[in-house]
Amino acid sequence: MGYFKNQLLVCATLECESIEEMVSSMEKAKQEGADLVELSVHSLNFSHISQLQHLLQHRPLPAIVSYRSKEVKNSKIEDSKKTCLQVLRLAVELDVEFVEIELEVASDTLISELMDKRSNTKIIVSSYVNGGHPSIEKLGNLIAFMQCTGADIIKIVIDVVYITDVAPILHIITHCQVPVIARAAGDRGLISQLLGPKYGSFLVFGSLGGKSIPGLPFVESIKQIYELERVNADTKVFGVISNPVGHSKGPLLHNPAFRHLGYNGIYAPLLVDNIKEFFRVYSGNDYAGFSVGLPHKEDAVNCCDEVDPLAKSIGAVNTIVRRPTDGKLVGYNTDCEACITAIEDGLRERQIANGEASQASPLAGRVFVLVGAGGAGRALAFGAKSRGARVVIFNRKFERAKALAQSVSGEAFPIESLGTFCPENGMILANASAIGMEPKINETPVPKEALRSYDLIFDAVYTPRNTRLMQEATEVGAMVVSGVEMFIRQAMGQFKLFTGGLVPEEFMRRTVLEHF
């Protein structure tokens, strides 16, 4: 077992239709930093086994050769099994580092034959479990059965329904007596790879840039963003709880910031459907802190044991920290100060340029038009009210707009009237809705002509960085404040809470501006 004893291996999963594509993909995997490749031979079109022989002999990286007979299209089961055995025997003859045998195909005689023929090849026996909610007991029984085959390594791949289904898989990695490769497939299974090394995984899977596979991080991000080789049993887990979560830039910022400070933490995207259930399952002290995104910010309040007074008055939490002394969940809202100070600083710049600077908030007495009444909208509404602004709220669900307006002594109008709303010029507009966010980047909450009524326009959306609303606001001469600025400020507030006061401000600001 010396081959993988002392290092984390990053394996690029390759599914290609042609031999030529497989060759170029192997080269790409090597360039991106993979340590080995998984060659899914069942996906290949080849007319003769000699073509595969040439491919294996000239592999630029160590390899796992796998052949899933069930995945072969337009093939009889018996023919597929026959080809499978041919492929596995060839791989062992050519001294390929790993061969993978499906549990259904594995037999005592086949494994004995391959063991006898091999010189250095390690035998992996795999099981692919579709659907359901795997329990620790069920997985334990499966692994015990797989161990009886005499395999060097056991591999399980499970289609998970919820992120909470990954917890038993992580538990099994820790307690298995033989080396185990475990993967939860699908977008909700991503943490099985990102957190695997914390629980003792010796191998994690990744996909190549430009070829996204649900549940797998990119090889380059494993190496450069997460640096999973640094993750160990003592690593504290942080992450962003959201749905969807793929757009989040949090991992690009928090992971390098942890390393910059020498703090042993990892920050992962967490695709969560039910936030209460998430905290019930991931209740250990190592799950130390979380950013909370759409649509969970309001529900998050009820998940906390304690809530900071500002967050309680807003009714939305965007940060949860597990207090180390007693394991209690404490909720905060860093959105409020982040967006309001970003808007104030933008207005003050203009005041200073015009020689009008004053001590009072530049929002005092201004009409503050807010689009969106969710968690971010609530933070903006309460922040604007605290600075003396007159808050006017538009939301797709008018009842939500009315309820929020009542909370801040403001007004609410149906979103259909937003384009014609103009009680005065020189207003402030803040978009706290998802309108204009990737992938719907051509949408905007307000028609371009209507933007002329506003002095400053703020967009909480930061993916893309320059939204259509921002572009059109600039074109009509309004001052703009990007969601990127709010993101930086709220993230620094969160990071300070995560680390108990540490925050490398200049480093974090530079990271965002360089990489976003």
Side-chain angles (χ1 to χ4, degrees):
M1 294 303 185
Y3 183 83
F4 48 77
K5 193 76 176 172
N6 300 315
Q7 62 166 332
L8 176 73
L9 298 176
V10 178
C11 179
T13 297
L14 308 182
E15 288 198 9
C16 307
E17 290 189 7
S18 69
I19 295 282
E20 294 74 23
E21 188 190 348
M22 191 70 91
V23 170
S24 64
S25 293
M26 280 197 278
E27 289 295 345
K28 193 164 190 270
K30 188 175 183 179
Q31 289 165 13
E32 292 185 9
D35 300 301
L36 72 161
V37 288
E38 179 186 31
L39 306 178
S40 304
V41 178
H42 50 264
S43 67
L44 276 175
N45 290 319
F46 57 94
S47 53
H48 195 268
I49 198 81
S50 61
Q51 293 172 287
L52 184 62
Q53 181 170 341
H54 186 265
L55 175 77
L56 296 179
Q57 284 174 325
H58 295 88
R59 62 191 185 279
L61 283 171
I64 300 171
V65 170
S66 68
Y67 191 101
R68 290 187 63 196
S69 49
K70 289 180 185 173
E71 296 289 319
V72 183
K73 294 170 185 171
N74 307 318
S75 176
K76 292 177 183 174
I77 292 174
E78 286 309 312
D79 289 345
S80 183
K81 281 189 176 178
K82 186 179 172 185
T83 308
C84 173
L85 298 179
Q86 270 187 303
V87 167
L88 298 177
R89 286 171 181 140
L90 175 66
V92 168
E93 282 169 23
L94 295 176
D95 213 16
V96 173
E97 290 75 16
F98 302 93
V99 296
E100 180 186 326
I101 310 170
E102 294 173 285
L103 181 59
E104 295 86 348
V105 175
S107 67
D108 292 345
T109 51
L110 173 61
I111 290 180
S112 297
E113 179 198 333
L114 296 179
M115 292 263 192
D116 290 342
K117 283 185 176 178
R118 70 173 176 176
S119 50
N120 295 304
T121 303
K122 302 295 181 198
I123 309 292
I124 301 171
V125 169
S126 64
S127 179
Y128 290 73
V129 182
N130 292 321
H133 305 282
S135 66
I136 291 172
E137 185 182 11
K138 183 180 172 184
L139 289 180
N141 291 339
L142 174 62
I143 284 175
F145 181 65
M146 293 171 76
Q147 279 182 257
C148 294
T149 62
D152 299 309
I153 304 160
I154 285 163
K155 175 184 174 186
I156 51 170
V157 180
I158 299 172
D159 276 325
V160 293
V161 182
Y162 300 112
I163 195 169
T164 44
D165 296 330
V166 182
I169 298 169
L170 297 173
H171 178 89
I172 286 294
I173 297 170
T174 312
H175 295 90
C176 194
Q177 299 304 306
V178 299
V180 62
I181 299 169
R183 181 183 148 210
D187 290 328
R188 288 159 179 79
L190 180 63
I191 59 167
S192 69
Q193 301 312 291
L194 296 183
L195 302 187
K198 175 177 171 63
Y199 292 89
S201 284
F202 69 89
L203 181 147
V204 294
F205 289 103
S207 57
L208 296 185
K211 251 194 163 179
S212 179
I213 300 173
L216 292 188
F218 289 115
V219 169
E220 284 186 326
S221 71
I222 291 172
K223 291 285 187 177
Q224 295 169 21
I225 296 168
Y226 298 102
E227 293 192 19
L228 292 186
E229 68 274 10
R230 295 170 178 260
V231 173
N232 58 35
D234 298 323
T235 301
K236 297 290 185 190
V237 178
F238 301 85
V240 52
I241 293 170
S242 189
N243 188 355
V245 76
H247 66 281
S248 175
K249 305 289 189 189
L252 294 174
L253 177 60
H254 289 283
N255 288 298
F258 284 142
R259 289 195 294 276
H260 182 75
L261 289 178
Y263 186 96
N264 189 3
I266 183 172
Y267 184 98
L270 305 166
L271 181 52
V272 172
D273 298 280
N274 183 323
I275 187 170
K276 203 156 196 168
E277 187 66 7
F278 174 84
F279 282 117
R280 185 189 69 77
V281 172
Y282 296 98
S283 58
N285 272 357
D286 277 1
Y287 288 83
F290 305 90
S291 310
V292 183
L294 293 170
H296 299 302
K297 293 187 181 190
E298 290 163 83
D299 289 340
V301 175
N302 298 322
C303 295
C304 298
D305 299 296
E306 295 173 22
V307 180
D308 177 74
L310 173 65
K312 188 173 271 188
S313 67
I314 293 168
V317 157
N318 83 319
T319 312
I320 295 177
V321 175
R322 194 181 300 278
R323 196 160 50 206
T325 51
D326 57 10
K328 300 280 188 188
L329 296 175
V330 186
Y332 301 88
N333 192 304
T334 67
D335 282 338
C336 182
E337 281 301 295
C339 50
I340 293 300
T341 58
I343 292 168
E344 284 180 320
D345 288 353
L347 289 169
R348 283 200 179 99
E349 274 182 38
R350 179 167 283 189
Q351 283 183 338
I352 291 166
N354 296 337
E356 302 167 354
S358 73
Q359 292 300 308
S361 170
L363 284 171
R366 304 287 282 267
V367 174
F368 190 94
V369 176
L370 173 64
V371 185
R378 294 187 69 84
L380 275 155
F382 277 84
K385 184 205 174 193
S386 74
R387 302 307 206 264
R390 293 155 51 203
V391 182
V392 181
I393 301 163
F394 294 83
N395 190 62
R396 279 177 175 161
K397 292 180 179 174
F398 183 51
E399 291 305 313
R400 280 175 70 96
K402 280 202 298 188
L404 178 54
Q406 200 170 1
S407 302
V408 294
S409 306
E411 296 177 86
F413 295 97
I415 199 157
E416 293 76 19
S417 60
L418 177 57
T420 55
F421 180 78
C422 186
E424 62 182 64
N425 285 322
M427 300 183 291
I428 310 298
L429 174 70
N431 176 37
S433 74
I435 300 170
M437 184 187 286
E438 290 177 354
K440 298 180 180 178
I441 60 172
N442 293 319
E443 294 184 0
T444 181
V446 184
K448 184 176 177 179
E449 277 307 304
L451 297 177
R452 298 184 189 279
S453 305
Y454 298 92
D455 264 3
L456 180 143
I457 290 157
F458 166 77
D459 195 348
V461 172
Y462 64 88
T463 52
R465 183 170 173 175
N466 192 19
T467 61
R468 180 180 166 188
L469 176 62
M470 293 282 93
Q471 292 167 30
E472 293 183 347
T474 303
E475 287 165 14
V476 301
M479 189 171 193
V480 297
V481 174
S482 162
V484 173
E485 183 59 35
M486 174 198 170
F487 173 79
I488 293 171
R489 294 179 187 217
Q490 64 81 29
M492 289 195 292
Q494 291 184 330
F495 196 87
K496 202 170 185 177
L497 290 166
F498 291 161
T499 60
L502 303 171
V503 56
E505 291 191 21
E506 281 308 307
F507 176 83
M508 291 179 80
R509 183 169 286 279
R510 192 169 67 247
T511 299
V512 170
L513 297 177
E514 283 175 6
H515 297 290
F516 282 36

